[in-house]
């Protein structure tokens, strides 16, 4: 064998071994493969109803923060184009007030919205219905919405329950037929 051919053979074997090692490292590192999808996030905690809180005979809440007791409520007498019901729940500084009104006061959203005197008000929705949420002038947070033509509602919570306001409003059940 010629001396030049021996070096060529050794170099070819070394190149082959290097290529095999490099390729095995590339494929073992998952280069070029699609990333694995992230595991799904944990399911959000379900808001479990603590009680069914009746505001009127056709309007109730299926969620109230734990520990609240009914402290007041009643029927709104037919006056100035409105009737309905109201309820107050609370213990100490934690309070929830809810009211539903039927009649011409809730003829449409623009008419009913004018009844809400809220500070820092912003438009939103409650279960797909037009609403406005903001700070009540006497304290706490309040949300007002038109449940349907002829039926408007509002919920007001004290400041310690401000983060619960939207969950309470979303829990409203108001069957048609009022």
């Amino acid at each position: 064998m010629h001396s030049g051919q021996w070096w060529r053979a050794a170099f070819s074997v070394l190149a082959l071994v290097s290529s095999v090692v490099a390729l095995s490292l590339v494929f073992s590192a998952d280069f070029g493969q699609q990333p694995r999808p992230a595991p799904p996030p944990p399911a959000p905690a379900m808001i479990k109803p603590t009680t069914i809180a009746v505001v009127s005979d056709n309007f109730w809440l299926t969620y109230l923060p734990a520990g609240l007791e009914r402290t007041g409520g009643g029927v709104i007498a037919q006056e100035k184009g409105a009737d309905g019901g109201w309820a107050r729940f609370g213990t100490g500084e934690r309070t929830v007030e809810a009211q539903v009104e039927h009649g011409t006061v809730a003829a449409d959203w623009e008419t009913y919205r004018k009844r809400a005197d809220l500070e820092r008000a912003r438009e939103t929705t409650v279960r797909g219905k037009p609403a406005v949420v903001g700070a009540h002038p006497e304290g706490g947070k309040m949300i007002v919405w038109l449940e349907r033509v002829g039926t408007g509602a509002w919920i007001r919570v004290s400041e310690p329950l401000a983060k619960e306001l939207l969950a309470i409003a979303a829990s409203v059940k108001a069957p048609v037929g009022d």
Side-chain angles (χ1 to χ4, degrees):
M1 193 185 256
H2 294 69
S3 62
Q5 291 177 347
W6 180 82
W7 286 106
R8 284 186 193 166
F11 183 73
S12 295
V13 170
L14 182 62
L16 178 65
V17 170
S18 299
S19 297
V20 169
V21 170
L23 287 173
S24 65
L25 288 174
V26 166
F27 286 110
S28 67
D30 291 334
F31 288 119
Q33 291 186 2
Q34 294 293 329
R36 293 185 181 136
M46 295 296 293
I47 297 174
K48 295 181 180 175
T50 57
T51 185
I52 291 182
V54 177
V55 177
S56 74
D57 62 348
N58 56 7
F59 191 89
W60 61 91
L61 308 173
T62 59
Y63 169 73
L64 276 176
L68 298 181
E69 298 176 10
R70 190 173 181 126
T71 58
V75 175
I76 299 172
Q78 179 71 30
E79 61 180 58
K80 298 182 184 176
D83 67 271
W86 65 277
R88 182 176 298 121
F89 308 89
T91 52
E93 293 183 15
R94 300 173 66 232
T95 60
V96 174
E97 296 176 68
Q99 182 167 307
V100 59
E101 298 174 288
H102 309 289
T104 58
V105 296
D108 58 57
W109 174 234
E110 290 307 315
T111 302
Y112 196 67
R113 189 192 186 298
K114 291 176 186 173
R115 295 176 64 84
D117 183 24
L118 301 176
E119 298 169 356
R120 298 180 306 280
R122 63 181 173 81
E123 298 291 324
T124 188
T125 61
V126 172
R127 296 179 339 278
K129 297 164 175 84
V132 64
V133 65
H136 191 274
E138 295 175 15
K141 301 279 184 178
M142 185 173 186
I143 189 164
V144 178
W145 75 94
L146 190 68
E147 183 64 29
R148 63 183 156 272
V149 173
T151 301
W154 59 260
I155 296 175
R156 178 181 170 199
V157 297
S158 59
E159 202 58 46
L161 294 176
K163 291 183 179 179
E164 301 284 344
L165 178 60
L166 296 179
I168 296 168
S171 81
V172 165
K173 299 296 181 205
V176 177
D178 48 18

